Amino acid sequence: MTGILKHLVDWKYWSDEDVVRVLDLAQRVKHHRWEYQGHMQGNTLVMIFQKTSTRTRVSFEAGMTELGGHAINLDWNTTNFTLSKIRFETRYLGRNAALIMARLKENADLLEMEKASTVPVINGCCNLYHPCQALADMLTIAEDRPEGIRGARLTYIGVYNNVANSLVSIAAPLGVHLTLVCPIREQGSIDEESRQRLLNEGLLTETLDAKAAVKEADYIYTDTWLDMEYFNDPGYASERDKRCEIMMPYQVNRELLEGCHAKIMHDMPIHPDYEIAEDMIEDESSIIYDQAENRLDAQKAIMLHVHRHMK
Ligand code: CP
């Protein structure tokens, strides 16, 4: 392979043109599924997980299968990444695989993997970013809005976390207006560069008035209040309780959404009756399963795009 090595750590590192291009490709792949059958023939994706997953695992593996390639799933704890340096193990992976998708806990480890890799590395969610989810979210809005994605108004209600960072960074190139209702902002977890860009472009509103924010929204999005891996961990029980107390007035429920015509989004997995009332999950205004389904075509588009750069 002689082309340019293109990784996906977050959308902020891609040009605006490439972000638009990859969303267009995701839509094209979705509507012409069998045209792309075989585009990854003879190629292997290595997926490596330090954390649990349902959608990321399934959508990448199914996506690779449908594109004619093969995916290998590695649980970090059963690999020799636990015994050696990220650099050496990553260098080896590039000798046998065409692509790497990694869900690592720490962004710093992902950057180390990116630096060492001789094949594209795709971020399957780290502490700072969740770009694959953000593309699926934009695909969902683009598919839902006859007038197109530009000008869509998305309200995110939740903790300012990795999902929020990637929504902020993908919104600018796609012309999506984002309203953030984030009562909890952890120090060191906010990508200020992407936030400032969206503010400067007049595409970001920040408020704690959730009632007003949902009234203006076309789409309302929420996410877990505490990283999934910690939610049922007794060691995080007091942090979870503290967050629940702060966040409960911001729960997405019927009362909050009264008089609002927006569609409801959630990246899943869901903690019913925490960030969202259980009866809203399958309400007629919910497009949560469409959003999850769209992970497949988003993942295919990302893999095709970064792989083409290598040719
Ligand atoms: N939204 C998401 O990334 O789902 P999983 O954690 O199940 O992969």
Side-chain angles (χ1 to χ4, degrees), residues 102-234:
R103 172 169 284 191
L104 305 188
K105 291 179 184 171
E106 296 298 325
N107 180 258
D109 288 343
L110 188 80
L111 294 179
E112 203 177 322
M113 186 175 269
E114 179 198 22
K115 205 167 132 200
S117 186
T118 53
V119 296
V121 174
I122 299 165
N123 183 1
C125 186
C126 65
N127 59 324
L128 290 184
Y129 306 111
H130 198 353
C132 300
Q133 181 64 52
L135 184 64
D137 301 339
M138 295 301 119
L139 175 58
T140 307
I141 294 174
E143 288 286 300
D144 183 66
R145 252 172 79 91
E147 61 270 54
I149 189 142
R150 280 190 190 276
R153 297 188 72 89
L154 172 63
T155 290
Y156 173 87
I157 305 176
V159 174
Y160 202 132
N161 59 10
N162 48 3
V163 168
N165 274 330
S166 287
L167 286 174
V168 168
S169 60
I170 204 169
L174 298 177
V176 170
H177 185 283
L178 189 58
T179 297
L180 293 177
V181 183
C182 298
I184 297 178
R185 290 168 179 248
E186 285 172 1
Q187 237 185 355
S189 68
I190 298 177
D191 187 322
E192 279 300 338
E193 196 184 355
S194 296
R195 186 178 157 269
Q196 276 306 326
R197 178 183 172 190
L198 206 59
L199 269 176
N200 294 344
E201 298 193 8
L203 289 170
L204 179 61
T205 301
E206 294 177 287
T207 178
L208 290 182
D209 186 345
K211 267 274 179 204
V214 300
K215 282 217 165 64
E216 292 177 355
D218 301 314
Y219 301 92
I220 294 160
Y221 192 140
T222 189
D223 183 25
T224 181
W225 294 336
L226 186 67
D227 197 321
M228 301 304 296
E229 70 188 294
Y230 304 131
F231 207 86
N232 296 318
D233 183 335

Side-chain angles (χ1 to χ4, degrees), residues 49 52-57 103 124-125 130 133 228 267-269 295:
F49 288 93
T52 57
S53 168
T54 306
R55 279 144 291 276
T56 304
R57 159 94 199 264
R103 172 169 284 191
C125 186
H130 198 353
Q133 181 64 52
M228 301 304 296
D267 54 325
M268 302 182 87
R295 291 292 301 271

Side-chain angles (χ1 to χ4, degrees), residues 68 70 100 117 141 173 190 273 311:
H70 176 66
I100 299 169
S117 186
I141 294 174
I190 298 177
D273 292 333
K311 288 184 176 165

